[in-house]
Amino acid sequence: MGRLPVYLRALVEMAEQGTATVSSEELAEAAGVNSAKVRKDLSHLGSYGTRGVGYDVAYLIHQVRRELGLTQDWPVLIAGVGNLGHALANYRGFSERGFRVVALVDADRSKVGEMVGGIRTRHVEDLPDIVAAEDIAIGLICTPAGAAQQVADRMVDAGIRSILNFAPAIVSVPAAVSLRKVDLSIELQILAFYEQRKAVLSEVHRGRGALDLARVP
């Protein structure tokens, strides 16, 4: 279920704020869905909450994490130690959500040996040995667009079967490999569209208000 990661993020934030129980309405508002969907989704996990009390946040986090396969630490490799690679390697939220960055690789030999987030950067040519030694499950591509496909090929050849691509490029992988793309520019364009739409609606509302005032005798 695609909504479970959204529920988990909301639940973790609630837990960090000291919230012990949550209603389906509160979780729905935090996740941006309706409460009927929340109750239906959680019922598939075998969680129905308590009438008048709601859901136990800690237990619900455990259930969602178990369903998503996050009850174990998933070793992650980051390819590309630029600004984004640095930020992701230093992000502490991964460990709280079942992911552990264990390796960094880069094609630039001047970056080899650099320590980022407590991890020593290695050359991309070492990728097969790293994947085998660390039992890497997931690879993150944070390289420039021109290198993305080559890095994806290296990951696949090394045995990585789940890839998250942050590079502004389309990459191809075999059908057996799970591939997800995060295009920050597209997400920003979507937000810009909504901002423009809100601005137009605001102008329309102001125009209607002025028109109504003009009609007042």
Side-chain angles (χ1 to χ4, degrees), residues 56-107:
D56 182 283
V57 171
Y59 182 60
L60 199 51
I61 288 174
H62 169 73
Q63 286 183 299
V64 175
R65 284 174 60 87
R66 182 186 61 193
E67 184 70 15
L68 291 172
L70 301 180
T71 51
Q72 69 181 77
D73 282 337
W74 292 96
V76 174
L77 175 145
I78 296 176
V81 191
N83 291 334
L84 180 57
H86 269 77
L88 293 175
N90 284 302
Y91 178 54
R92 299 308 174 195
F94 284 142
S95 60
E96 299 171 1
R97 289 161 174 80
F99 303 96
R100 183 167 46 92
V101 177
V102 298
L104 306 172
V105 297
D106 200 288

Side-chain angles (χ1 to χ4, degrees), residues 55 74 142 187:
Y55 298 88
W74 292 96
C142 302
E187 298 301 326

